[in-house]
Amino acid sequence: VCSCSSPQKETVLSDLNYIYVDESTITKISKEDFKEQDVKQIRQIPLNVIMMNKEVDILVKNGYLVIKALGRYSGAKLINIFSEDGSKHIKELAPYGSGPDEFTDLRIIPTSDDDLLCYILSLHNKKLYALDNKLSLEYISIFPMPNNIEDFRLGVNDLYHLKTDEFLCQQRAENGLGICKININDSIVTGLVGLNFSESLDSFWQIYTGHTAYNPQKNLIAYSMAYFDRILLFNADNSHLKVIQCGTLSKLVSKSRSDFYNKEEKKTYYRALFSDENFFYALYKGEKSYSPDFEENGHYYIEKYDWEGNPVKRYKLPKGMGFYGGCSTNENNVFYLVCSHEDEFLFKVILE
C-alpha cells in the first residue's frame, strides 16, 4: 500500500473548503490481504453496578476505565469510573437532568493530554468539561460555534481533542459531511476532508458517518465509514489523504436517501475504531444493518492496520455477540468491547 497522496482538488460544504476525496486518493485492498486468525481469548467483565446498555461509550486511560451509559431517569449518573480491570467501582459523575450541572446526554472526548482523562461535552447546552486524573469534573467553556462560517451544524459524534485549543469535529452539511477542526479559543474552523461522493444524488451527511482514531505521535487521523467499506487516513494539518477501499467498487459512488433508509438493503461495515501508537483497529461487520440471523450466527472482526494504511491481521470474534463499540487499553493486543445483547455488556479481548 502506497503512502498518502497529496490531492490538490478542494470541495465546498456549506461554504467551507475541504480536501476533495476523488479516485486519485484511493488505494484498493482485499480482505485476503490480511492474515486471519481467531482472537486468543474473550471474557465478560462483571462491573457490579447497574447501568443501562444504551449508547455506551468507554475509555481506558491512566489506570481508569471510564464508562458512559445513557440512563434517562431520576437519579441516574451518566459516567461511572472503575479501576482499569473493572474490578473496583470508584466514582460516579454527571447526574441526569436538565439543571445547570446536569446532563441529558453527553460525549466522551479523548485527549492525549496526560493531565486529563478526557473532556466531556454536555449535549443539551454544549458545555465543555475536563475530567482530570483526580476524577474532578471542571467546567471549561461553552463549545463554540465557528465565527468564520454561517449556518454551521456541529456533528457531535467522534469528537477528539487534538492539541492545545484544537478539537476534531464534524460539519453536518446539506450536501455531505465535513471532517474539520475548531479552535475553541478563537472559534475558527478549518476544513480537513469533505465527504460528498456524488453530485447527482441527495448526498446528505448521515450517509458518511463513521468513527475516528487519532495518533498524536504521527499527527494522523483514521476515519472508518459506517456505511462504506472505506477507511480514510489523513494528516491533522490538512496535508495528506489516503482512502483505503475494500471490495470491487471502481468509483466513489454514493447512496441515495431511499437506499440509506431501506433496511432490507442497507449495510453496516465499521462499528468502531480504536488505536495505539503503532496500529489502528477497526471493528468490522460487513453485513446488512438489520439482520437478526447475522446477529445470532455471524462473526464480527477486528481488522488491524499500521499507520501507513497497510492491512496487518484480521481477528475473528465469536459469533452472535453484537459488538458496537470498544477501546484500546494500556496493554498490547488487549481491548475492551461493548456487546449489545448483554446487560453485563463489557468484554475483554486478547488478540494474541
Side-chain angles (χ1 to χ4, degrees), residues 263-277:
K263 71 176 184 178
E264 297 301 323
E265 299 299 329
K266 179 180 173 184
K267 271 191 171 186
T268 297
Y269 290 93
Y270 295 100
R271 299 298 307 270
L273 192 68
F274 26 91
S275 65
D276 56 33
E277 184 176 348

Side-chain angles (χ1 to χ4, degrees), residues 312-342:
V312 179
K313 283 189 178 181
R314 197 167 190 250
Y315 302 90
K316 186 164 69 173
L317 292 159
K319 68 178 182 180
M321 297 299 292
F323 295 114
Y324 71 93
C327 71
S328 55
T329 71
N330 294 319
E331 299 180 68
N332 290 332
N333 295 312
V334 178
F335 301 89
Y336 285 148
L337 294 181
V338 178
C339 174
S340 61
H341 303 333
E342 303 284 343

Side-chain angles (χ1 to χ4, degrees), residues 22-49:
D22 63 13
E23 274 77 7
S24 70
T25 65
I26 295 176
T27 296
K28 289 188 178 182
I29 67 167
S30 166
K31 299 304 182 188
E32 284 70 37
D33 295 333
F34 294 93
K35 299 176 183 178
E36 186 171 314
Q37 66 185 68
D38 291 343
V39 297
K40 179 181 179 181
Q41 183 184 111
I42 181 168
R43 63 180 180 88
Q44 196 172 46
I45 304 295
L47 295 171
N48 301 318
V49 172

Side-chain angles (χ1 to χ4, degrees), residues 112-128:
S112 57
D113 185 346
D114 286 334
D115 292 331
L116 298 177
L117 293 181
C118 60
Y119 288 91
I120 300 290
L121 179 66
S122 172
L123 296 191
H124 79 280
N125 55 21
K126 297 299 188 290
K127 285 185 175 181
L128 182 67

Side-chain angles (χ1 to χ4, degrees), residues 149-168:
I149 180 175
E150 296 181 1
D151 193 28
F152 183 92
R153 296 173 63 200
L154 175 69
V156 295
N157 294 321
D158 290 279
L159 299 167
Y160 211 109
H161 175 239
L162 298 175
K163 58 183 180 181
T164 318
D165 296 320
E166 282 189 349
F167 285 78
L168 188 73

Side-chain angles (χ1 to χ4, degrees), residues 267-323:
K267 271 191 171 186
T268 297
Y269 290 93
Y270 295 100
R271 299 298 307 270
L273 192 68
F274 26 91
S275 65
D276 56 33
E277 184 176 348
N278 298 310
F279 303 99
F280 62 89
Y281 305 81
L283 179 61
Y284 183 84
K285 179 180 180 181
E287 291 289 338
K288 290 181 180 179
S289 302
Y290 178 76
S291 178
D293 180 68
F294 175 83
E295 293 303 330
E296 184 176 345
N297 299 300
H299 293 274
Y300 285 75
Y301 291 85
I302 295 177
E303 296 181 348
K304 180 179 181 179
Y305 296 82
D306 66 24
W307 281 98
E308 292 291 323
N310 299 301
V312 179
K313 283 189 178 181
R314 197 167 190 250
Y315 302 90
K316 186 164 69 173
L317 292 159
K319 68 178 182 180
M321 297 299 292
F323 295 114

